[in-house]
Amino acid sequence: MDILAKSVTFHENRMWLDLSDGRTLGIPLSWFPRLLKATPEQRQGFEIGSWEIHWEAIDEDILIAGLLAGLGDQTKRGRLVNAL
């Protein structure tokens, strides 16, 4: 069973992610420096895909599987590190 993101919201310094299996994840924005530094308008400019959440304006992609594994930012020198 694939677990999908249903919605994303932000409150203070946390991103809240509602999942298709009924869980809600609260992720500290400090795990993702681009989101932490983004404006509220930039944070709202996301697209939910099958496997990830994407922010075009800030060049951020967050894998849902990574969040479920407890992983934060996996970028290094502009490349995604294959941690999964």
Side-chain angles (χ1 to χ4, degrees):
M1 175 173 116
D2 289 331
I3 299 170
L4 308 172
K6 290 175 47 179
S7 68
V8 178
T9 56
F10 295 90
H11 182 72
E12 296 180 4
N13 289 319
R14 196 163 294 275
M15 174 174 62
W16 294 94
L17 181 63
D18 290 323
L19 301 174
S20 60
D21 67 356
R23 288 184 282 177
T24 299
L25 301 179
I27 299 104
L29 292 181
S30 60
W31 284 15
F32 299 97
R34 289 185 197 130
L35 280 178
L36 182 63
K37 295 176 185 176
T39 66
E41 293 79 20
Q42 288 172 320
R43 289 181 189 154
Q44 292 303 319
F46 61 86
E47 295 177 18
I48 298 175
S50 296
W51 307 103
E52 78 284 332
I53 307 161
H54 173 71
W55 287 263
E56 183 71 31
I58 60 172
D59 191 29
E60 181 70 88
D61 293 289
I62 298 176
L63 297 174
I64 296 164
L67 294 175
L68 290 170
L71 300 175
D73 187 21
Q74 297 296 302
T75 56
K76 185 175 182 179
R77 288 182 233 109
R79 294 190 171 274
L80 184 64
V81 176
N82 187 3
L84 299 177

